[in-house]
Every structure is written in structure tokens, then in C-alpha cells.
Amino acid sequence: MSKISAAITAVGGYVPDYVLTNKMLEGMVDTNDEWITTRTGIKERRILKEDGKGTSYLAIKAAQNLIDKSGVNPKDIELVIVATATPDMKAASTSAYTATQIGATNAFSFDLEAACSSFLYGMSVAARYIESGKYKKVLLIGADKNSSMINYEDRATCIIFGDGAGAVLFEPNQEGFGLQDEYLRSDGSGREFLQATYGGSSYPSTPEAIKEHKHQVFQDGKTVFKNAVFNMADVAVKILDRNNLTTKDISWLVAHQANKRIIDATANRIELQEDKVMMNIEKYGNTTSATLPLLLNDYESQLKKGDNLIFAAFGGGFTWGSIYLKWAYNS
């Protein structure tokens, strides 16, 4: 009997209609389009504006898009994982609500949080459930409503983040396609450089903290940038070396969309030409847990069975890693 591997067999995505452009940000904070574009590669980002709609709304939309495109029966889905840094509520599971709303009533579910690496880590977890042989359909969703924790008076963060969601379906494969290898890392000493201090169990929200925007995201940009550039490139090189892959073997680099300069540095480190680098940061900004699946959704029509994909991500905490996956179908 052939070894079971975990392959992506369907993808979906969703971004809100509201577009927040660099020009609009010029009227909100001390910045300009040229400055933002030069330093980040971002031109616009999508924002979920409707009251009462959170990350689950985005996750549901992305999952429904996948279901509509693939024809999968939601009742056949056995596990729903929502990778997110912005759950709807404390205590109540975002994934459980998402699964119920999409009709995956036979699935169990849980949330997974590792900042911008959440979806990458989720790929590893979903693959283990498939490889065990016990589960045949695992839905992994990366979704974040980053606007819920952004201070739009802070030009260091408000120019970067957007809202969105992407979804993938993992199923067993016995042809050698799917997830091949992973190299995942973390370092808790970096958490002070990218976080929202108040609102968690260490520092519950207070009126004073909210007034001072301490419940919203703070980022030490230089430190995060330096660590992201080194670590994303480093793990990508390690995954290539461990699998005896050269630049010629790589079909696509699927890199977390935090900053175009970080993506370029990763591609340059593995000597990969620009036309093999998936990129949509210009349209969406950094959607945190949603960047990787949104890339797959946007580039799905260009993916071919057997393509070698190298995933790389870096997030707050710090968390980072790389995954090597063989694409399993022609669109």
C-alpha cells in the first residue's frame, strides 16, 4: 500500500468590498503613497466595515467559495481548522461557528493561533490528521479581521494590514503529491516587538488602556523586519537543502505577504526569478493568517499538477517556518 500524503485538492478566498487606498491614508496619517509603496509594496488593502461582522464572516465566505468551486459536500468535511490572530470572541470558538454556518455539521473544529504563521502551522496540523489515515477531508481556513486591532492614527501599522480569508481542502493522496516536508520554528523572546498588549489574560482591557490605544497592535518595525528577512530566507534555504532541491526545481515561492522587500529578500536568497514568486501584497496588504491561502486562490489557474511549491512565513511571537508541497491537480 502506498504511503498516504496530505494534498490540497481545492482552494477558495474572500476579501471585503471596501478598498482603503494609500491616497485615502494620506488624509488620515502623516504618510504618502510613494513612501508606503517604496517601503512595503502595498497600494491598497481591503477592510471589513460592517458592524458585528468579524473574522468568522470572512472565514465563512472563503469556505463557501471553496465549496461552490469544488462541489464538496460540507457534511463530508470531518475537521475545520480556523487559523487566525483575531478570533471573533474570547472563549467562544470561531471555528465551531464557522463550521456550523457552512453546513459542516459532522466536523469537529478548533482555532489555531501563531500570528502571521498561523496558516503555515495549520498546514502541518491538517497534514498530520490526513496522514494518520483516520480523516479524509480537512478544511483549513486562514482568516483575519486585522482592522479590528489597528490604530488608524499609527502610521507604522495602519498602512500595512488588511482583512481577508482563504481556505484549502486537504485530502489523502497516494501518488506522491501533497505536503513533503516542513521546517517550523519559534522564539518567544521576540513577542515584545509585535503584539497588542492589552486585552489578553496578562493585561485585561481597561478604559485607560483603550483610550491610549494599548489594546491595538504595536510593532517595532526595524526589529521585526530584520528578523523576518533573515528567518524567512533561512528556513526556505534549509527546506531546499534538506530535499536536495535547486532553484530549477521550484515552480513557485508562496511567501507571507508582509512586505515586498522581505519577499524579495527571500526570493533572492534562493536565487529565484521574479516570475516564480506569488505576489498580491499590492492589492491586499498583510492579511496575516490569510496571505498564503489568498495567494493560492489568486494563482490557482496557473498551478499545474506536480508543481513544487515552497511556502515561507514569519509572524509575531516570533513564529516562522517553511513547507515544501507538491501541487496535486490541474485547475
Side-chain angles (χ1 to χ4, degrees), residues 162-179:
D163 302 337
V168 303
L169 183 68
F170 275 96
E171 295 186 276
N173 184 280
Q174 293 182 314
E175 299 178 274
F177 301 115
L179 199 148

Side-chain angles (χ1 to χ4, degrees), residues 40 42 45 155-162 219 258 284-287:
T40 69
I42 301 168
R45 62 291 293 148
R155 70 172 186 173
T157 56
C158 72
I159 66 169
I160 298 170
F161 294 95
Q219 175 173 275
Y284 306 141
N286 181 353
T287 54

Side-chain angles (χ1 to χ4, degrees), residues 5 84 88 98 241-242 296:
S5 57
T84 184
D88 283 4
T98 299
D241 290 346
R242 197 157 72 181
L296 294 180

Side-chain angles (χ1 to χ4, degrees), residues 232-233 236-237 239-240 245-257 260-279 295 299 303 307-312 322-324:
M232 271 181 59
V237 169
I239 207 84
L240 293 180
L245 297 171
T246 68
T247 300
K248 293 180 181 178
D249 298 317
I250 305 171
S251 305
W252 295 97
L253 172 65
V254 191
H256 172 53
Q257 305 287 289
K260 188 176 184 297
R261 290 187 293 164
I262 297 172
I263 302 165
D264 289 342
T266 303
N268 291 337
R269 178 77 182 276
I270 59 177
E271 300 179 344
L272 194 67
Q273 54 265 47
E274 191 174 349
D275 62 357
K276 288 188 175 184
V277 180
M278 292 188 185
M279 195 92 69
L295 284 171
Y299 281 80
L303 294 171
D307 277 356
N308 289 322
L309 275 57
I310 301 298
F311 292 78
S322 182
I323 283 177
Y324 165 36

Side-chain angles (χ1 to χ4, degrees), residues 38 67 88 93 102 108 111 113 134 170 186 197 204 214 289:
T38 301
I67 290 165
D88 283 4
S93 169
I102 64 173
F108 75 102
D111 297 352
E113 198 279 312
K134 189 171 183 179
F170 275 96
S186 62
T197 305
K214 290 182 178 179
S289 308

